Short mmCIF file of all heavy atoms in Angstrom, two decimals:
data_model
loop_
_atom_site.label_atom_id
_atom_site.label_comp_id
_atom_site.label_asym_id
_atom_site.label_seq_id
_atom_site.Cartn_x
_atom_site.Cartn_y
_atom_site.Cartn_z
N SER B 183 7.25 -20.91 11.00
CA SER B 183 6.31 -20.02 10.31
C SER B 183 6.37 -18.60 10.84
O SER B 183 5.63 -17.73 10.37
CB SER B 183 4.89 -20.56 10.44
OG SER B 183 4.52 -20.62 11.82
N GLY B 184 7.23 -18.35 11.82
CA GLY B 184 7.33 -17.02 12.42
C GLY B 184 8.74 -16.49 12.41
O GLY B 184 9.60 -16.92 11.63
N TYR B 185 8.99 -15.56 13.34
CA TYR B 185 10.29 -14.92 13.42
C TYR B 185 10.62 -14.65 14.88
O TYR B 185 9.73 -14.47 15.72
CB TYR B 185 10.28 -13.59 12.65
CG TYR B 185 9.75 -13.69 11.24
CD1 TYR B 185 8.40 -13.46 10.99
CD2 TYR B 185 10.59 -14.03 10.19
CE1 TYR B 185 7.90 -13.56 9.70
CE2 TYR B 185 10.10 -14.13 8.90
CZ TYR B 185 8.75 -13.90 8.66
OH TYR B 185 8.26 -14.02 7.39
N THR B 186 11.92 -14.62 15.17
CA THR B 186 12.38 -14.18 16.49
C THR B 186 13.30 -12.98 16.31
O THR B 186 13.90 -12.79 15.25
CB THR B 186 13.13 -15.30 17.23
OG1 THR B 186 14.27 -15.70 16.45
CG2 THR B 186 12.22 -16.49 17.48
N SER B 187 13.42 -12.18 17.36
CA SER B 187 14.30 -11.01 17.33
C SER B 187 14.54 -10.58 18.77
O SER B 187 14.24 -11.34 19.71
CB SER B 187 13.67 -9.89 16.50
OG SER B 187 14.59 -8.82 16.34
N ALA B 188 15.08 -9.37 18.98
CA ALA B 188 15.35 -8.88 20.33
C ALA B 188 15.02 -7.39 20.42
O ALA B 188 15.09 -6.65 19.42
CB ALA B 188 16.81 -9.11 20.70
N ARG B 189 14.64 -7.01 21.65
CA ARG B 189 14.33 -5.60 21.93
C ARG B 189 14.94 -5.25 23.28
O ARG B 189 14.49 -5.72 24.33
CB ARG B 189 12.81 -5.39 21.94
CG ARG B 189 12.36 -4.01 22.34
CD ARG B 189 10.96 -3.76 21.82
NE ARG B 189 10.11 -3.04 22.75
CZ ARG B 189 8.93 -2.50 22.44
NH1 ARG B 189 8.48 -2.59 21.20
NH2 ARG B 189 8.20 -1.89 23.35
N LEU B 190 16.01 -4.43 23.23
CA LEU B 190 16.73 -4.02 24.44
C LEU B 190 16.22 -2.67 24.90
O LEU B 190 15.82 -1.83 24.09
CB LEU B 190 18.23 -3.92 24.17
CG LEU B 190 19.03 -5.22 24.05
CD1 LEU B 190 18.73 -5.92 22.74
CD2 LEU B 190 20.52 -4.93 24.16
N LYS B 191 16.29 -2.44 26.22
CA LYS B 191 15.87 -1.15 26.76
C LYS B 191 16.67 -0.83 28.02
O LYS B 191 17.16 -1.73 28.71
CB LYS B 191 14.37 -1.16 27.07
CG LYS B 191 13.94 -2.21 28.09
CD LYS B 191 12.43 -2.20 28.30
CE LYS B 191 12.02 -3.24 29.37
NZ LYS B 191 10.56 -3.22 29.62
N SER B 192 16.79 0.46 28.30
CA SER B 192 17.54 0.90 29.49
C SER B 192 16.60 1.25 30.65
O SER B 192 17.03 1.88 31.62
CB SER B 192 18.42 2.11 29.15
OG SER B 192 17.63 3.25 28.85
N GLU B 193 15.36 0.84 30.57
CA GLU B 193 14.35 1.17 31.58
C GLU B 193 14.82 0.78 32.98
O GLU B 193 15.29 -0.35 33.19
CB GLU B 193 13.03 0.47 31.25
CG GLU B 193 11.91 0.80 32.22
CD GLU B 193 10.61 0.08 31.88
OE1 GLU B 193 10.64 -0.82 31.01
OE2 GLU B 193 9.58 0.40 32.49
N ASN B 194 14.69 1.71 33.93
CA ASN B 194 15.08 1.54 35.34
C ASN B 194 16.59 1.38 35.53
O ASN B 194 17.05 1.25 36.67
CB ASN B 194 14.36 0.35 35.98
CG ASN B 194 12.86 0.56 36.03
OD1 ASN B 194 12.39 1.67 36.29
ND2 ASN B 194 12.11 -0.51 35.78
N LEU B 195 17.36 1.42 34.46
CA LEU B 195 18.82 1.33 34.55
C LEU B 195 19.48 2.65 34.17
O LEU B 195 20.41 3.09 34.84
CB LEU B 195 19.32 0.21 33.63
CG LEU B 195 18.81 -1.19 33.97
CD1 LEU B 195 19.21 -2.18 32.88
CD2 LEU B 195 19.34 -1.64 35.34
N TYR B 196 18.99 3.25 33.09
CA TYR B 196 19.44 4.59 32.73
C TYR B 196 18.25 5.34 32.12
O TYR B 196 17.72 4.96 31.06
CB TYR B 196 20.60 4.59 31.75
CG TYR B 196 21.04 5.99 31.38
CD1 TYR B 196 21.74 6.77 32.29
CD2 TYR B 196 20.71 6.55 30.14
CE1 TYR B 196 22.12 8.07 31.98
CE2 TYR B 196 21.09 7.85 29.82
CZ TYR B 196 21.79 8.61 30.75
OH TYR B 196 22.16 9.89 30.45
N GLU B 197 17.83 6.39 32.80
CA GLU B 197 16.76 7.25 32.33
C GLU B 197 17.25 8.69 32.46
O GLU B 197 18.02 9.01 33.36
CB GLU B 197 15.48 7.01 33.12
CG GLU B 197 14.97 5.57 32.96
CD GLU B 197 13.79 5.22 33.87
OE1 GLU B 197 13.45 6.06 34.74
OE2 GLU B 197 13.23 4.12 33.72
N PHE B 198 16.79 9.56 31.57
CA PHE B 198 17.37 10.90 31.54
C PHE B 198 16.36 11.90 30.99
O PHE B 198 15.41 11.54 30.27
CB PHE B 198 18.63 10.93 30.67
CG PHE B 198 18.38 10.64 29.20
CD1 PHE B 198 18.41 11.67 28.28
CD2 PHE B 198 18.12 9.35 28.76
CE1 PHE B 198 18.17 11.42 26.94
CE2 PHE B 198 17.88 9.09 27.42
CZ PHE B 198 17.91 10.13 26.50
N THR B 199 16.57 13.16 31.35
CA THR B 199 15.81 14.28 30.81
C THR B 199 16.77 15.25 30.15
O THR B 199 17.68 15.77 30.82
CB THR B 199 15.04 15.01 31.94
OG1 THR B 199 14.18 14.09 32.61
CG2 THR B 199 14.20 16.15 31.36
N TYR B 200 16.60 15.46 28.86
CA TYR B 200 17.41 16.35 28.04
C TYR B 200 18.83 15.79 27.86
O TYR B 200 19.38 15.12 28.71
CB TYR B 200 17.48 17.77 28.60
CG TYR B 200 16.13 18.39 28.89
CD1 TYR B 200 15.88 19.05 30.11
CD2 TYR B 200 15.09 18.32 27.96
CE1 TYR B 200 14.64 19.62 30.38
CE2 TYR B 200 13.85 18.88 28.23
CZ TYR B 200 13.64 19.52 29.44
OH TYR B 200 12.41 20.07 29.71
N GLY B 201 19.39 16.10 26.70
CA GLY B 201 20.73 15.64 26.38
C GLY B 201 20.84 15.31 24.90
O GLY B 201 19.89 15.47 24.13
N ARG B 202 22.01 14.85 24.52
CA ARG B 202 22.26 14.43 23.14
C ARG B 202 22.54 12.94 23.12
O ARG B 202 23.47 12.47 23.77
CB ARG B 202 23.45 15.21 22.55
CG ARG B 202 23.86 14.71 21.16
CD ARG B 202 24.77 15.71 20.46
NE ARG B 202 25.96 16.03 21.24
CZ ARG B 202 27.14 15.41 21.12
NH1 ARG B 202 27.29 14.42 20.26
NH2 ARG B 202 28.17 15.81 21.87
N VAL B 203 21.73 12.21 22.37
CA VAL B 203 21.90 10.78 22.20
C VAL B 203 22.54 10.53 20.84
O VAL B 203 22.07 11.05 19.83
CB VAL B 203 20.55 10.03 22.26
CG1 VAL B 203 20.76 8.53 22.09
CG2 VAL B 203 19.82 10.34 23.56
N GLU B 204 23.60 9.76 20.82
CA GLU B 204 24.26 9.42 19.56
C GLU B 204 24.46 7.91 19.49
O GLU B 204 25.04 7.30 20.40
CB GLU B 204 25.62 10.13 19.46
CG GLU B 204 26.33 9.91 18.13
CD GLU B 204 27.59 10.75 18.01
OE1 GLU B 204 27.46 11.99 17.99
OE2 GLU B 204 28.69 10.16 17.97
N VAL B 205 23.95 7.32 18.41
CA VAL B 205 24.05 5.87 18.20
C VAL B 205 24.66 5.65 16.82
O VAL B 205 24.14 6.15 15.82
CB VAL B 205 22.68 5.19 18.29
CG1 VAL B 205 22.82 3.69 18.10
CG2 VAL B 205 22.01 5.50 19.64
N ARG B 206 25.75 4.88 16.79
CA ARG B 206 26.37 4.56 15.50
C ARG B 206 25.95 3.15 15.13
O ARG B 206 26.22 2.19 15.87
CB ARG B 206 27.89 4.67 15.59
CG ARG B 206 28.60 4.46 14.26
CD ARG B 206 30.05 4.92 14.32
NE ARG B 206 30.75 4.68 13.06
CZ ARG B 206 30.67 5.46 11.99
NH1 ARG B 206 29.90 6.53 12.02
NH2 ARG B 206 31.34 5.17 10.90
N ALA B 207 25.30 3.03 13.95
CA ALA B 207 24.69 1.74 13.62
C ALA B 207 24.70 1.50 12.11
O ALA B 207 24.76 2.42 11.30
CB ALA B 207 23.26 1.69 14.13
N LYS B 208 24.62 0.19 11.78
CA LYS B 208 24.39 -0.26 10.40
C LYS B 208 23.10 -1.09 10.41
O LYS B 208 22.92 -1.94 11.30
CB LYS B 208 25.57 -1.09 9.90
CG LYS B 208 25.42 -1.54 8.45
CD LYS B 208 26.71 -2.20 7.92
CE LYS B 208 26.97 -3.53 8.62
NZ LYS B 208 28.11 -4.25 8.00
N LEU B 209 22.23 -0.85 9.45
CA LEU B 209 20.88 -1.37 9.50
C LEU B 209 20.72 -2.64 8.65
O LEU B 209 21.49 -2.86 7.70
CB LEU B 209 19.89 -0.30 9.01
CG LEU B 209 20.02 1.07 9.69
CD1 LEU B 209 18.93 2.00 9.18
CD2 LEU B 209 19.97 0.95 11.21
N PRO B 210 19.73 -3.47 8.97
CA PRO B 210 19.48 -4.68 8.19
C PRO B 210 18.96 -4.33 6.80
O PRO B 210 18.22 -3.34 6.63
CB PRO B 210 18.43 -5.44 9.00
CG PRO B 210 17.74 -4.37 9.80
CD PRO B 210 18.80 -3.36 10.11
N ALA B 211 19.31 -5.16 5.81
CA ALA B 211 18.96 -4.86 4.42
C ALA B 211 17.73 -5.61 3.95
O ALA B 211 17.14 -5.24 2.92
CB ALA B 211 20.14 -5.21 3.51
N ALA B 212 17.31 -6.64 4.65
CA ALA B 212 16.23 -7.50 4.16
C ALA B 212 14.89 -6.78 4.14
O ALA B 212 14.54 -6.05 5.07
CB ALA B 212 16.13 -8.75 5.02
N THR B 213 14.14 -7.02 3.07
CA THR B 213 12.80 -6.45 2.94
C THR B 213 11.90 -6.99 4.05
O THR B 213 11.86 -8.20 4.30
CB THR B 213 12.20 -6.80 1.57
OG1 THR B 213 13.05 -6.28 0.55
CG2 THR B 213 10.80 -6.23 1.42
N GLY B 214 11.18 -6.09 4.70
CA GLY B 214 10.29 -6.49 5.78
C GLY B 214 10.85 -6.28 7.16
O GLY B 214 10.11 -6.36 8.15
N THR B 215 12.16 -5.99 7.26
CA THR B 215 12.74 -5.69 8.58
C THR B 215 12.46 -4.23 8.94
O THR B 215 12.48 -3.35 8.09
CB THR B 215 14.26 -5.92 8.58
OG1 THR B 215 14.88 -5.17 7.53
CG2 THR B 215 14.57 -7.41 8.38
N TRP B 216 12.22 -4.01 10.22
CA TRP B 216 11.85 -2.68 10.72
C TRP B 216 12.75 -2.36 11.92
O TRP B 216 12.38 -2.56 13.06
CB TRP B 216 10.38 -2.68 11.10
CG TRP B 216 9.84 -1.45 11.77
CD1 TRP B 216 10.48 -0.27 12.02
CD2 TRP B 216 8.52 -1.30 12.31
NE1 TRP B 216 9.65 0.60 12.67
CE2 TRP B 216 8.43 0.00 12.87
CE3 TRP B 216 7.41 -2.15 12.39
CZ2 TRP B 216 7.28 0.46 13.49
CZ3 TRP B 216 6.26 -1.67 13.00
CH2 TRP B 216 6.19 -0.38 13.54
N PRO B 217 13.96 -1.83 11.67
CA PRO B 217 14.86 -1.49 12.78
C PRO B 217 14.46 -0.16 13.41
O PRO B 217 13.94 0.74 12.73
CB PRO B 217 16.22 -1.38 12.09
CG PRO B 217 15.89 -0.93 10.69
CD PRO B 217 14.56 -1.58 10.35
N ALA B 218 14.70 -0.02 14.71
CA ALA B 218 14.33 1.21 15.41
C ALA B 218 15.29 1.47 16.56
O ALA B 218 15.69 0.56 17.28
CB ALA B 218 12.90 1.13 15.93
N ILE B 219 15.66 2.75 16.71
CA ILE B 219 16.41 3.25 17.85
C ILE B 219 15.58 4.40 18.40
O ILE B 219 15.38 5.40 17.71
CB ILE B 219 17.81 3.75 17.43
CG1 ILE B 219 18.61 2.62 16.77
CG2 ILE B 219 18.56 4.33 18.62
CD1 ILE B 219 19.86 3.08 16.05
N TRP B 220 15.06 4.25 19.62
CA TRP B 220 14.05 5.21 20.06
C TRP B 220 14.04 5.35 21.57
O TRP B 220 14.86 4.74 22.27
CB TRP B 220 12.67 4.83 19.52
CG TRP B 220 12.20 3.41 19.76
CD1 TRP B 220 12.76 2.25 19.30
CD2 TRP B 220 11.04 3.02 20.51
NE1 TRP B 220 12.03 1.16 19.70
CE2 TRP B 220 10.97 1.59 20.44
CE3 TRP B 220 10.06 3.70 21.22
CZ2 TRP B 220 9.95 0.86 21.07
CZ3 TRP B 220 9.04 2.97 21.84
CH2 TRP B 220 8.99 1.58 21.75
N SER B 221 13.12 6.20 22.07
CA SER B 221 13.02 6.43 23.50
C SER B 221 11.55 6.58 23.87
O SER B 221 10.73 7.07 23.08
CB SER B 221 13.82 7.67 23.92
OG SER B 221 13.34 8.81 23.24
N LEU B 222 11.24 6.20 25.10
CA LEU B 222 9.86 6.19 25.58
C LEU B 222 9.80 6.86 26.96
O LEU B 222 10.72 6.70 27.77
CB LEU B 222 9.34 4.76 25.67
CG LEU B 222 7.85 4.57 26.00
CD1 LEU B 222 6.97 5.07 24.85
CD2 LEU B 222 7.55 3.10 26.30
N GLY B 223 8.72 7.61 27.19
CA GLY B 223 8.55 8.25 28.49
C GLY B 223 8.52 7.23 29.61
O GLY B 223 7.80 6.23 29.56
N ALA B 224 9.32 7.47 30.66
CA ALA B 224 9.47 6.49 31.75
C ALA B 224 8.18 6.29 32.54
O ALA B 224 8.04 5.30 33.26
CB ALA B 224 10.60 6.92 32.67
N ASP B 225 7.22 7.21 32.40
CA ASP B 225 5.96 7.08 33.15
C ASP B 225 4.87 6.40 32.33
O ASP B 225 3.68 6.56 32.62
CB ASP B 225 5.49 8.46 33.60
CG ASP B 225 5.18 9.40 32.43
OD1 ASP B 225 5.56 9.07 31.29
OD2 ASP B 225 4.56 10.46 32.67
#
């Protein structure tokens, strides 16, 4: 009755201030999927 998925992060492995991030990706087509490529403040 539910769903499983994955959420990867570089926390404590690679953190940075300023730069250019480039990600080459193809996104899911199914209605209701919410793909995201993002960054969060390390603090």
Side-chain angles (χ1 to χ4, degrees):
S183 61
Y185 309 92
T186 59
S187 187
R189 175 159 140 167
L190 285 73
K191 60 182 182 178
S192 67
E193 182 181 10
N194 296 321
L195 298 172
Y196 179 73
E197 298 173 353
F198 65 105
T199 303
Y200 307 133
R202 174 165 56 94
V203 180
E204 185 174 295
V205 181
R206 184 165 178 81
K208 183 172 68 173
L209 309 184
T213 301
T215 55
W216 174 4
I219 301 167
W220 52 297
S221 59
L222 187 68
D225 62 347

